[in-house]
């Protein structure tokens, strides 16, 4: 059969218009957009300053009533590169939740995973499936998917904490489910701090509990134990890319706290500037203590206590403490998903002694 060698412009145009009408696409026209040399995130490196955030967080307590419709009083951080998406990165939501004395944020459950890292205040609590977890600065509390949870503040001062969720990821996968609890707060079905009593010593577990689920059975990672572990590690070893860095783990498996989210804590010792690297997977950083700076794709971002910044996927980044003092960063990461899908990759920056040239200063909010 003879093959027609030449096609007119009009014939080609008609062909591609037909494909469009039939909801088809010619791969040869779009392959360059689909199979790229390396990832290029639409999310951009960005820093939100605590000095700007705190007045807005406090003002929300006057404008949004927990008892009149504001089920959660949270200010979410939107990445400037993703104006059409609710997220600090393409996969993760970050927001600061504010709870006034005597308030209770209504109980509900949802399919996205969530973590709470306490920034300010003491005497609040999160109840997760009947386990009341008391909150203090530096504590990290889990609410695994589809667990009932409510928040309360039994102190005489406001509570502020960082919410980290995989909500954008779950929404993109069209897997979001949500259900309110029949009452404002769930009943306590366990002694206060039940999971801490059972699992806070990570190398041990009750002999009669054999099942190993995908989520950490320890719900409240108390700051005192976290800081102790961090400082013990600082006496023996450090990582060239993150300095003294540790990951919160599931004490049953030794793996990440939840299948879709990981959390980390790192100490930047006085005078340390880490080497740069990049990896698939994005990271949300909260400056918990001290001050310093991070260089992300050649941009310098100076941060201090309470500031939050993001590193998009496959972006070069390095960190340094400032003024001869130490600093502590808390982080939320989507690394477990990338690893589970076989997509995780990491690369060290080899030029300039492993440190990036700085081409731009910090971007203001």
């Amino acid at each position: 059969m003879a093959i027609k060698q030449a096609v007119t412009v009009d014939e080609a145009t008609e062909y591609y218009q037909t494909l469009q009408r039939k909801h088809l696409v010619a791969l040869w026209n779009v392959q360059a957009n689909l199979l790229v040399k390396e990832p290029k995130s639409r999310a951009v490196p960005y820093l939100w300053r605590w000095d700007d955030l705190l007045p807005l967080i406090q003002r929300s307590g006057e404008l949004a009533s927990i008892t009149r419709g504001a089920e959660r009083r949270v200010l979410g951080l939107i990445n400037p590169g993703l104006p059409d998406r609710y997220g600090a990165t393409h996969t993760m939501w970050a927001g600061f939740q504010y709870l006034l004395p005597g308030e209770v944020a209504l109980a509900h459950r949802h399919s996205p995973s969530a973590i709470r890292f306490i920034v300010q205040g003491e005497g609040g609590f999160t109840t997760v499936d009947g386990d009341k977890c008391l909150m203090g600065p530096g504590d990290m509390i889990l609410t695994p998917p589809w667990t009932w949870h409510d928040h309360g503040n039994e102190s005489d001062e406001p509570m502020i904490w960082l919410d980290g969720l995989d909500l954008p990821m779950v929404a993109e996968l069209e897997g979001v489910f949500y259900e309110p609890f029949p009452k404002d707060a769930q009943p306590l079905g366990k002694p206060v701090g039940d999971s801490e009593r059972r699992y806070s010593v990570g190398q041990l577990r009750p002999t009669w509990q054999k099942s190993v689920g995908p989520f950490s059975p320890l719900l409240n990672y108390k700051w005192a134990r976290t800081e102790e572990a961090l400082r013990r590690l600082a006496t023996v070893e450090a990582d060239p890319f993150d300095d003294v860095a540790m990951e919160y783990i599931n004490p049953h498996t030794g793996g990440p706290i939840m299948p879709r989210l990981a959390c980390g804590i790192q100490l930047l010792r006085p005078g340390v500037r880490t080497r740069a690297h990049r990896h698939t997977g994005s990271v949300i950083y909260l400056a918990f203590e001290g001050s310093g700076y991070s260089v992300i794709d050649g941009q310098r971002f100076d941060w201090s206590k309470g500031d939050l910044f993001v590193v998009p996927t496959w972006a070069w980044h390095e960190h340094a403490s400032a003024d001869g003092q130490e600093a502590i960063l808390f982080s939320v990461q989507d690394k477990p998903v990338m690893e589970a899908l076989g997509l995780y990759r990491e690369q060290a920056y080899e030029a300039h002694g492993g440190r990036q040239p700085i081409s731009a200063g910090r971007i203001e909010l």
Side-chain angles (χ1 to χ4, degrees), residues 104-108 148 150 180-187:
V104 173
L106 305 181
H108 64 206
W148 295 112
D150 54 80
F181 194 73
K183 299 180 180 180
D184 289 353
Q186 59 182 298

Side-chain angles (χ1 to χ4, degrees), residues 17 60 64 68 73 86-87 92 111 118 143 153 164 171 186 196 251 279 291 295 351:
Q17 289 175 345
S60 74
R68 293 194 298 274
R73 189 187 291 115
Y86 296 125
M92 295 182 293
S111 52
I118 315 309
T143 52
N153 186 354
Q186 59 182 298
E196 298 165 51
H279 45 66
S291 60
V295 182

Side-chain angles (χ1 to χ4, degrees), residues 105-216:
L106 305 181
H108 64 206
R109 63 181 178 178
H110 42 66
S111 52
S113 315
I115 65 94
R116 329 286 173 182
F117 187 81
I118 315 309
V119 175
Q120 182 176 302
E122 193 157 2
F125 66 87
T126 291
T127 301
V128 183
D129 276 352
D131 186 351
K132 185 175 181 179
C133 302
L134 302 180
M135 293 174 158
D139 294 350
M140 197 267 290
I141 296 174
L142 308 187
T143 52
W146 214 238
T147 54
W148 295 112
H149 57 281
D150 54 80
H151 312 292
N153 186 354
E154 298 174 322
S155 75
D156 57 1
E157 61 177 332
M159 295 289 303
I160 302 176
W161 63 83
L162 172 68
D163 283 336
L165 289 86
D166 52 21
L167 180 56
M169 182 195 314
V170 177
E172 190 70 16
L173 294 171
E174 300 181 354
V176 175
F177 290 87
Y178 166 85
E179 182 181 356
F181 194 73
K183 299 180 180 180
D184 289 353
Q186 59 182 298
L188 298 183
K190 304 171 184 177
V192 173
D194 181 74
S195 76
E196 298 165 51
R197 301 171 192 234
R198 296 174 186 269
Y199 306 111
S200 61
V201 180
Q203 68 268 33
L204 299 170
R205 64 170 172 79
T207 58
W208 58 88
Q209 294 188 346
K210 304 293 186 182
S211 62
V212 178
F215 311 106
S216 173

